[in-house]
Amino acid sequence: MLNFPNDSLNTARIIFQSHDQYQVIFADRSVHQATLAGRMQLADALPLIGDFVSGQVYDQDKFLITTLLPRQTLLTRASNQQDQAIAANVTTVFITMSLNADFSTNRVERYLTLVWDSGATPVIVLTKADLEPELLVQRQLELEAIAFGVPIVTTTSTTPLVAREQLNAYLQPTTTAVFVGSSGVGKSTLLNILAAQQLQSTKAVRGGDDKGRHTTTARQLFYLPNGAALIDSPGIRGVGVASSTTTATAQSFPDITSLAQQCRFNDCQHEQEPGCAVQAAIANGELSAQRLADYRRLLRETEYATMNSRQITAAKIKRMVGNKKNLRRR
Ligand SMILES: [Zn+2]
């Protein structure tokens, strides 16, 4: 049985939300389509991904949500107008950052503030450590200086099983975890490595048909075999980035955003993920690689929008130095 706040058979957890459509999971892992009771629709706080709710089953397999249970934590994204709630009851946030061009202690500080504010516990994940081994010790020291006591996990792209073991150490049956970090640092790769455990168990339960997999990838919260929950929600992607500018970027690249909706994974970074529709379009000549590069550049610039001028200069220098290093090595 999953770790729920009470033993009531009427308690469920939101694993998918889109407009007024919900999916909930029960402690026995059964999944139901759900809707809000009329009076819930007028409430101040609507159920979010990760929320525990109570209600009742009707028509055999549907669930009517009548009560929102108290939240232990609430992860919000600072937008220009107001804080926007994006996930409830998250206990662990993996702040994901690559060792090379993406590295920024300023950004880690922003993420740490956001995580502490939410009530969750941060874990810093440094990815692509194999690409810049000579930087590793220096980066760890820089991080320890600003993130005293926060665990730092180092992963490489060539040892996925080691990465899985390291992350599993933070995934207990009481854990609900999310990955945050910039585009391209390998969040979805790590998520996929962890999700593979869950997909295998789902297939086993369903006798190896494909139905389980498709149901699972549509979910925004899924449980690992040991009872830990992982959230992979489109809303999480923008955490730490001014949401209005990110939207503006998406609007400038309607071709890429519409392709991205067909990617197999919600959090696809369009690198080497299986089922990436953007990479497929580049491969068959539908989309130019330059177009994707332009899109990435604009995304980076929108991140600058959240920094002050000194931070922008530092980030640009860091990026330039990183690029030169890459050139030298080739
Ligand atoms: Zn993709």
Side-chain angles (χ1 to χ4, degrees), residues 259-260 262-265 268-271 273 275-279:
L259 281 167
Q262 296 157 38
C263 292
R264 184 180 305 167
F265 296 101
C268 188
Q269 308 290 323
H270 321 309
E271 289 178 310
E273 292 91 344
C276 175
V278 174
Q279 286 298 340

Side-chain angles (χ1 to χ4, degrees), residues 73-253:
T73 72
L74 183 61
L75 194 63
T76 57
R77 165 174 54 203
S79 76
N80 291 347
Q81 281 75 40
Q82 57 187 25
D83 285 355
Q84 188 188 355
I86 47 180
N89 301 313
V90 171
T91 62
T92 304
V93 179
F94 292 113
I95 300 172
T96 314
M97 183 166 276
S98 76
L99 264 182
N100 46 20
D102 172 64
F103 187 87
S104 154
T105 49
N106 287 324
R107 199 177 312 119
V108 172
E109 282 177 317
R110 277 211 307 278
Y111 281 128
L112 285 172
T113 305
L114 185 136
V115 176
W116 295 127
D117 282 352
S118 78
T121 304
V123 175
I124 296 172
V125 182
L126 283 175
T127 61
K128 307 186 183 183
D130 45 336
L131 299 182
E132 305 276 350
E134 73 279 13
L135 280 178
L136 180 57
V137 173
Q138 182 199 333
R139 297 304 199 211
Q140 281 173 326
L141 288 173
E142 287 176 56
L143 284 175
E144 278 161 17
I146 59 150
F148 180 76
V150 176
I152 302 173
V153 170
T154 308
T155 67
T156 74
S157 45
T158 50
T159 53
L161 291 181
V162 174
R164 190 174 86 185
E165 285 310 301
Q166 288 176 300
L167 295 173
N168 274 344
Y170 296 95
L171 297 168
Q172 306 303 314
T174 51
T175 304
T176 297
V178 299
F179 286 88
V180 300
S182 302
S183 168
V185 297
K187 287 195 300 284
S188 50
T189 306
L190 294 174
L191 203 55
N192 293 345
I193 289 169
L194 293 171
Q197 309 171 89
Q198 187 261 354
L199 295 180
Q200 283 156 9
S201 71
T202 306
K203 273 185 186 160
V205 168
R206 309 230 177 179
D209 69 5
D210 260 352
K211 220 174 149 198
R213 200 193 70 205
H214 288 129
T215 313
T216 306
T217 47
R219 290 180 198 169
Q220 296 161 350
L221 182 154
F222 56 90
Y223 278 94
L224 299 178
N226 77 341
L230 279 171
I231 295 182
D232 176 21
S233 151
I236 302 285
R237 273 180 283 175
V239 169
V241 179
S243 54
S244 56
T245 48
T246 310
T247 308
T249 307
Q251 282 167 351
S252 317
F253 290 85

